[in-house]
C-alpha cells in the first residue's frame, strides 16, 4: 500500500505536467498536422491531378516509399517540440517556480513525454492518412509491414529526441539546439557518410542516423529480408564506391536503442550538473 | 519537535573564483518573519536559490523541517518536507492563462483538488488579477507577472515562504496588497523569509533581520535589538502650526535644556551636528536620544507639559524605517571598514 502511495505521489506531478505540456502545444500540433496532410496530398494526388500523364506508383509499397520518406518533416517536428525542453527552463526561468517543489527530473520527464506524444501523434496522422489514400487508390488490404515501418519511425523519433534533448541540456537557447541538430543531421553525418563511402566502403554506416532511418521505407518492400542491402558502383569494371541502402531490423533496433540510451544518459548527467 | 524550520550550516558558494557566500549560518524559527537585507551582490538571491535547490553549495548543508517536525537535509526525499513556496526572480511563465498555470502549480504541489478553483479565484481577486484570469500571460506587464509569481508561491498554502524582492518594481497599491498578505500569513503562523532592498517593507513585516554583506551574515536579530547597537536613535514629533523663524532659536535652546538628560551625548557628527533639528517643510522636529525605552515616555511628558504654550503636539513617533536604514548603513559600513582593514593587514 505504501509503495502504491509512493508511486502515485511520484508519478502524479509527471502526469499533470504531461497533460499541461500537451495542452500548451496543442496549437503547434494542429498546425503541424495540417502541414503534414497538405504535404501528403502534394506528394500523392496533386501530380496525378495536375499532370494527366503522371503514373501513380504501381504498388502500395512504392506509394508508401514516396509519401513516408519525408524525413525532414520528422526532424523539424522533433526540433520544434524538443529543442527548448531543457534550455528554455533555465533561460526563461519557467521551471524555477516548480523546481523547488517538484523534482526537476519529474518536470523534464513530464515535458518529454508530452512532446513525444505530440510528435508521435503527428507521425500517426501521416501514417493514417497515407493508409487511407493507399486504400482508396489501390483497394488492396493494408500492408502489415506498415505497422513495422511505423514502429521504426517511433524508434527514430525516440533516438532523435534523445539527441535533441542532449543538445538542449547544455545550450543556452532552443535556436542553438535546433542549429546544432540540423548541422549534425544535414551536414556532419552527411560528410562522414560520404567519407566512409569512398574510404571504407565495406563498413556499414550503422553509426549514421541518416542511414538507419532508411529502414522506415525499405522495410515496406516485399523483398526486404532477401534483398542485397547495398549497391556497388563501378566504372569500366573498377569498383568506385558502395552505397548502403538499409540496415537490418536487428541492426536498426540496436543502434536506435543505443542512441536513445546513450544521449539520454549524457543529457541527464549534464542536466543534473546544470544550475540556474 | 524542533522549533527551527530552516537551518543553514556553514554554507559556502563560489562562482568560479568569486566567493558569493562565505560560511553562512542561519536559523529561522517557526512562525518568524525574517528579512534578509544587504547591498547588491551581497548574496541574498544566492542564499534563496540554494534553499530552493536551484544552486548547489560548495560546502555546508541546508536543513528543512519535515512533517514529523525534525530537521532534514534538503537533498533527501522531498515528500517528507513541510510545504514550501518560493518566489525567486520574476518568472517567465509558460504562455498559458493564469488559471491554467495556477491550476498546474496547485496540482503538482498537492493542493486538494476540490479547493483549487476557489483558491485561484480568491488569490486572483486579492491581487486584482481576476479580470485577467483567462488571458495569456504573454500580454502581462512585468508587475502583473510579479504578482502572479507571488500567487504561485502561496497557491498551495505553504508553511514556509521564501520571497526574493517580492515588491521591487511594483506600483504602490500592489506593494500594499503584498505587504498585507504577508501580514495575513504571519497572523496564520506561517514562516516567511524575505530578501529585499526595500527597507520600509522589511521594517513593516519582519520580526527579525539578517544583514548580509560580501557573502557573510554580519548580524541577525530583532530590529529592536539591532537598534541598541546604533550610535544614535531618533524620535520625530510633529506640531500643528509652523514655528516662526524668530522663535526657533530660543525654542530649540529650551528644548535642549529640558531634554538634556535624554539626549545622545555622543552624537555622531556625520548623522547630525545638533541633537534637536527642525524640519520647516514638515512642521516637525527630530530628536536624537539615548535610545532607552523609558526616555521616550519622559520626553513625551516634557514636550506635552513644558511646551504647551509653544506648540500643539500632533504626532510623536520613533520611525522604524529610519532606524533600519541607519542600522543597515552603520553595520554595513563598519563591516566594510573591518574587511578592508583585514585585507590590508594580510597584504
Amino acid at each position: 500500500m505504501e509503495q502504491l502511495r509512493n508511486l502515485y505521489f511520484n508519478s502524479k506531478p509527471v502526469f499533470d505536467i504531461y497533460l499541461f505540456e500537451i495542452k500548451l502545444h496543442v496549437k503547434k500540433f494542429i498546425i503541424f498536422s495540417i502541414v503534414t496532410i497538405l504535404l501528403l496530398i502534394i506528394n500523392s494526388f496533386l501530380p496525378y491531378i495536375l499532370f494527366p500523364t503522371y503514373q501513380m506508383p504501381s504498388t502500395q509499397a512504392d506509394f508508401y516509399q514516396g509519401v513516408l520518406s519525408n524525413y525532414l518533416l520528422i526532424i523539424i517536428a522533433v526540433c520544434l517540440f524538443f529543442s527548448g525542453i531543457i534550455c528554455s527552463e533555465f533561460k526563461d526561468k519557467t521551471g524555477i517556480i516548480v523546481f523547488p517543489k517538484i523534482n526537476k527530473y519529474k518536470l523534464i520527464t513530464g515535458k518529454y513525454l508530452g512532446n513525444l506524444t505530440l510528435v508521435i501523434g503527428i507521425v500517426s496522422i501521416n501514417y493514417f492518412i497515407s493508409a487511407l489514400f493507399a486504400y482508396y487508390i489501390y483497394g488492396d488490404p493494408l500492408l502489415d509491414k506498415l505497422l513495422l515501418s511505423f514502429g521504426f519511425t517511433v524508434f527514430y523519433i525516440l533516438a532523435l529526441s534523445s539527441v535533441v534533448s542532449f543538445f538542449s541540456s547544455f545550450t543556452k537557447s532552443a535556436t542553438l539546439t535546433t542549429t546544432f541538430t540540423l548541422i549534425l543531421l544535414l551536414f556532419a553525418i552527411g560528410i562522414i557518410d560520404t567519407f566512409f563511402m569512398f574510404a571504407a566502403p565495406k563498413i556499414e554506416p550503422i553509426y549514421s542516423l541518416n542511414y538507419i532511418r532508411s529502414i522506415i521505407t525499405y522495410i515496406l518492400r516485399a523483398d526486404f529480408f532477401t534483398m542485397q542491402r547495398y549497391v556497388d558502383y563501378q566504372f569500366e569494371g573498377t569498383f568506385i564506391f558502395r552505397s548502403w541502402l538499409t540496415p537490418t531490423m536487428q541492426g536498426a533496433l540496436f543502434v536506435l536503442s543505443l542512441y536513445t540510451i546513450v544521449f539520454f544518459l549524457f543529457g541527464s548527467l549534464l542536466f543534473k550538473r546544470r544550475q540556474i | 519537535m524542533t522549533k527551527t524550520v530552516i537551518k543553514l550550516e556553514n554554507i559556502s558558494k563560489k562562482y568560479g573564483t568569486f566567493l558569493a557566500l562565505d560560511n553562512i549560518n542561519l536559523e529561522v524559527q517557526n512562525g518568524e518573519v525574517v528579512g534578509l537585507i544587504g547591498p547588491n551582490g551581497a548574496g541574498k538571491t544566492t542564499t534563496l536559490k540554494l534553499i530552493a535547490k536551484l544552486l548547489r553549495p560548495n560546502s555546508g548543508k541546508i536543513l528543512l523541517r519535515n512533517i514529523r517536525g525534525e530537521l532534514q537535509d534538503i537533498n533527501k526525499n522531498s515528500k517528507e518536507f513541510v510545504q514550501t513556496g518560493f518566489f525567486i526572480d520574476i518568472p517567465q511563465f509558460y504562455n498559458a492563462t493564469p488559471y491554467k498555470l495556477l491550476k498546474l502549480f496547485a496540482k503538482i504541489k498537492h493542493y486538494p483538488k476540490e479547493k483549487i478553483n476557489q483558491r485561484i479565484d480568491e488569490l486572483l481577486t486579492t491581487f486584482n488579477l481576476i479580470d485577467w484570469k483567462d488571458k495569456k500571460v504573454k500580454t502581462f506587464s512585468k508587475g502583473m507577472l510579479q504578482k502572479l509569481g507571488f500567487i504561485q508561491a502561496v497557491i498551495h498554502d505553504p508553511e514556509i515562504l521564501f520571497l526574493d524582492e517580492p515588491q521591487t518594481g511594483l506600483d504602490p497599491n500592489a506593494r500594499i496588497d503584498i505587504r498585507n498578505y504577508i501580514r495575513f500569513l504571519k497572523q496564520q503562523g506561517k514562516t516567511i523569509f524575505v530578501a529585499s532592498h526595500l527597507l520600509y517593507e522589511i521594517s513593516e513585516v519582519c520580526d527579525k533581520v539578517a544583514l548580509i554583506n560580501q557573502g557573510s551574515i554580519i548580524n541577525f536579530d530583532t530590529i529592536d535589538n539591532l537598534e541598541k547597537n546604533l550610535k544614535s536613535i531618533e524620535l520625530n514629533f510633529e506640531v500643528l502650526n509652523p514655528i516662526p523663524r524668530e522663535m526657533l532659536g530660543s525654542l530649540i535652546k529650551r528644548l535642549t535644556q529640558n531634554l538634556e538628560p535624554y539626549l545622545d551625548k555622543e552624537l555622531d557628527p556625520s548623522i547630525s551636528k545638533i541633537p534637536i533639528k527642525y524640519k520647516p517643510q514638515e512642521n516637525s522636529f527630530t530628536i536624537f536620544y539615548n535610545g532607552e525605552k523609558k526616555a521616550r515616555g519622559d520626553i513625551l511628558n516634557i514636550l506635552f507639559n513644558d511646551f504647551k504654550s509653544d506648540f500643539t503636539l500632533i504626532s510623536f513617533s520613533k520611525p522604524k524605517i529610519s532606524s533600519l536604514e541607519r542600522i543597515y548603513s552603520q553595520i554595513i559600513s563598519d563591516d566594510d571598514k573591518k574587511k578592508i582593514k583585514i585585507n590590508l593587514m594580510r597584504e
Side-chain angles (χ1 to χ4, degrees):
Chain A
M1 199 62 194
E2 179 67 19
Q3 275 179 336
L4 268 177
R5 204 180 305 150
N6 278 348
L7 185 71
Y8 173 76
F9 190 92
N10 288 323
S11 56
K12 198 182 168 290
V14 176
F15 184 67
D16 289 330
I17 291 164
Y18 168 79
L19 288 181
F20 180 80
E21 191 72 10
I22 287 181
K23 285 180 199 162
L24 196 65
H25 297 299
V26 78
K27 259 191 195 165
K28 225 185 322 185
F29 171 78
I30 293 169
I31 293 170
F32 224 92
S33 300
I34 293 170
V35 171
T36 305
I37 295 167
L38 285 176
L39 283 175
L40 205 58
I41 293 168
I42 292 168
N43 273 343
S44 55
F45 280 114
L46 207 62
Y48 183 69
I49 296 163
L50 292 177
F51 312 104
T53 52
Y54 181 84
Q55 292 284 310
M56 287 297 270
S58 54
T59 63
Q60 262 200 63
D62 291 339
F63 172 78
Y64 288 131
Q65 281 217 338
V67 293
L68 297 177
S69 60
N70 201 350
Y71 304 117
L72 198 61
L73 199 76
I74 299 177
I75 295 171
I76 292 171
V78 171
C79 283
L80 201 70
F81 283 90
F82 288 91
S83 56
I85 192 164
I86 296 174
C87 60
S88 68
E89 288 296 327
F90 290 92
K91 188 181 167 231
D92 301 332
K93 293 170 188 163
T94 38
I96 206 161
I97 47 189
V98 280
F99 275 174
K101 184 60 206 164
I102 178 182
N103 178 312
K104 58 184 175 182
Y105 295 107
K106 288 179 194 165
L107 174 80
I108 298 300
T109 309
K111 284 183 74 174
Y112 179 82
L113 293 175
N115 287 308
L116 189 66
T117 307
L118 293 172
V119 177
I120 291 176
I122 292 168
V123 170
S124 306
I125 289 172
N126 195 17
Y127 269 81
F128 179 70
I129 305 281
S130 302
L132 275 183
F133 284 180
Y135 184 72
Y136 174 74
I137 298 164
Y138 301 96
D140 301 334
L142 292 175
L143 286 182
D144 299 342
K145 281 185 173 175
L146 196 61
L147 277 177
L148 271 178
S149 167
F150 177 71
F152 275 105
T153 307
V154 171
F155 261 103
Y156 177 63
I157 291 168
L158 272 172
L160 203 55
S161 62
S162 177
V163 173
V164 176
S165 303
F166 164 72
F167 285 139
S168 188
S169 67
F170 64 85
T171 53
K172 283 195 170 168
S173 69
T175 318
L176 213 57
T177 307
T178 308
T179 312
F180 274 142
T181 311
L182 293 180
I183 288 174
L184 177 80
L185 295 177
L186 303 182
F187 299 106
I189 290 183
I191 291 167
I192 297 167
D193 284 354
T194 314
F195 171 78
F196 274 101
M197 195 189 281
F198 290 98
K202 299 215 166 136
I203 295 176
E204 187 180 355
I206 48 164
Y207 57 86
S208 162
L209 271 177
N210 294 358
Y211 168 66
I212 294 291
R213 74 184 176 204
S214 59
I215 196 171
I216 293 170
T217 48
Y218 271 96
I219 203 165
L220 293 162
R221 283 174 58 156
D223 61 345
F224 173 76
F225 294 104
T226 53
M227 66 182 265
Q228 185 168 297
R229 295 190 294 112
Y230 56 83
V231 178
D232 282 338
Y233 289 87
Q234 295 180 347
F235 181 71
E236 292 177 354
T238 314
F239 174 80
I240 307 286
F241 67 90
R242 174 173 288 178
S243 175
W244 285 87
L245 303 176
T246 180
T248 59
M249 263 176 67
Q250 294 84 338
L253 270 177
F254 174 74
V255 174
L256 289 173
S257 309
L258 201 68
Y259 261 99
T260 309
I261 293 165
V262 169
F263 279 96
F264 259 127
L265 278 178
F266 281 134
S268 53
L269 280 176
L270 288 174
F271 177 51
K272 192 182 171 190
R273 300 296 306 163
R274 193 164 174 176
Q275 301 180 63
I276 291 272
Chain B
M1 185 185 276
T2 172
K3 270 192 166 182
T4 307
V5 289
I6 182 134
K7 191 175 182 184
L8 276 67
E9 278 184 2
N10 307 316
I11 292 289
S12 293
K13 175 68 189 169
K14 271 183 177 178
Y15 295 111
T17 54
F18 174 69
L19 187 62
L21 290 180
D22 185 10
N23 214 25
I24 275 193
N25 285 288
L26 192 70
E27 215 171 299
V28 180
Q29 307 293 317
N30 188 26
E32 277 183 346
V33 181
V34 173
L36 186 62
I37 55 174
N40 289 331
K44 300 187 293 294
T45 303
T46 301
T47 307
L48 285 177
K49 283 184 177 172
L50 285 165
I51 297 170
K53 285 165 76 176
L54 296 167
L55 294 173
R56 282 185 304 278
N58 291 89
S59 63
K61 61 179 174 181
I62 298 167
L63 304 163
L64 187 68
R65 196 185 205 175
N66 64 20
I67 44 175
R68 294 188 301 277
E70 300 154 350
L71 286 177
Q72 194 179 315
D73 195 317
I74 57 163
N75 290 316
K76 299 272 164 62
N77 190 354
S78 66
K79 73 170 182 174
E80 293 268 295
F81 294 118
V82 292
Q83 290 274 22
T84 49
F86 286 87
F87 173 81
I88 300 172
D89 293 343
I90 301 169
Q92 301 296 306
F93 292 98
Y94 303 111
N95 189 25
T97 64
Y99 173 73
K100 282 183 184 164
L101 284 166
L102 293 171
K103 198 170 176 180
L104 171 75
F105 299 144
K107 271 185 183 173
I108 63 174
K109 289 169 180 178
H110 302 286
Y111 193 72
K113 203 179 169 186
E114 65 282 2
K115 292 183 188 167
I116 290 178
N117 285 351
Q118 191 193 341
R119 177 84 176 153
I120 292 172
D121 285 347
E122 267 172 26
L123 287 168
L124 288 176
T125 308
T126 306
F127 293 98
N128 299 313
L129 286 177
I130 193 72
D131 295 338
W132 297 78
K133 183 181 169 182
D134 297 313
K135 295 194 171 89
K136 290 210 170 178
V137 294
K138 204 161 76 176
T139 57
F140 280 28
S141 68
K142 202 177 153 192
M144 288 159 79
L145 283 176
Q146 200 164 344
K147 285 199 277 185
L148 192 59
F150 184 83
I151 296 173
Q152 71 73 29
V154 297
I155 186 81
H156 56 305
D157 195 22
E159 283 306 307
I160 314 171
L161 191 59
F162 297 92
L163 306 169
D164 184 20
E165 307 281 357
Q167 289 143 308
T168 305
L170 287 179
D171 64 64
N173 284 340
R175 274 188 199 187
I176 292 167
D177 289 343
I178 288 185
R179 190 193 310 148
N180 288 341
Y181 202 80
I182 293 174
R183 281 188 185 135
F184 167 72
L185 293 173
K186 187 179 171 179
Q187 280 169 6
Q188 290 187 321
K190 309 282 185 194
T191 308
I192 305 166
F193 197 77
V194 198
S196 181
H197 285 297
L198 302 174
L199 297 182
Y200 176 73
E201 299 300 340
I202 293 279
S203 69
E204 282 295 302
V205 295
C206 293
D207 305 313
K208 275 180 162 179
V209 172
L211 282 142
I212 186 166
N213 189 34
Q214 295 180 31
S216 309
I217 299 232
I218 48 175
N219 228 317
F220 179 47
D221 215 328
T222 60
I223 296 177
D224 284 343
N225 282 344
L226 288 171
E227 260 182 359
K228 287 176 188 163
N229 298 323
L230 273 183
K231 287 170 186 158
S232 181
I233 300 176
E234 55 185 271
L235 280 172
N236 281 346
F237 70 93
E238 200 181 340
V239 294
L240 184 63
N241 298 312
I243 306 290
R245 189 176 256 200
E246 60 279 9
M247 283 175 62
L248 193 63
S250 66
L251 180 64
I252 288 183
K253 200 176 170 189
R254 272 199 304 126
L255 277 166
T256 312
Q257 277 169 0
N258 290 20
L259 299 173
E260 202 271 330
Y262 311 103
L263 296 179
D264 186 358
K265 306 272 181 330
E266 290 158 4
L267 179 61
D268 187 343
S270 67
I271 297 166
S272 175
K273 287 190 176 89
I274 47 169
I276 299 175
K277 281 199 302 194
Y278 178 64
K279 296 176 199 160
Q281 64 276 28
E282 292 166 22
N283 284 351
S284 74
F285 288 85
T286 299
I287 302 170
F288 295 95
Y289 79 117
N290 58 22
E292 285 170 22
K293 246 182 188 171
K294 189 180 166 291
R296 275 155 68 187
D298 294 345
I299 292 170
L300 180 63
N301 266 334
I302 292 169
L303 292 176
F304 208 72
N305 297 322
D306 299 1
F307 295 90
K308 219 182 257 176
S309 55
D310 298 290
F311 48 72
T312 308
L313 193 64
I314 56 168
S315 83
F316 180 83
S317 64
K318 187 182 79 162
K320 236 181 171 181
I321 171 66
S322 164
S323 294
L324 192 56
E325 269 173 1
R326 296 251 306 287
I327 291 166
Y328 176 85
S329 58
Q330 185 181 303
I331 296 178
I332 298 285
S333 99
D334 286 355
D335 186 62
D336 283 342
K337 280 176 200 161
K338 205 168 93 187
K339 278 175 180 152
I340 290 168
K341 211 172 166 185
I342 291 169
N343 285 339
L344 283 173
M345 278 166 71
R346 274 186 195 149
E347 279 168 20

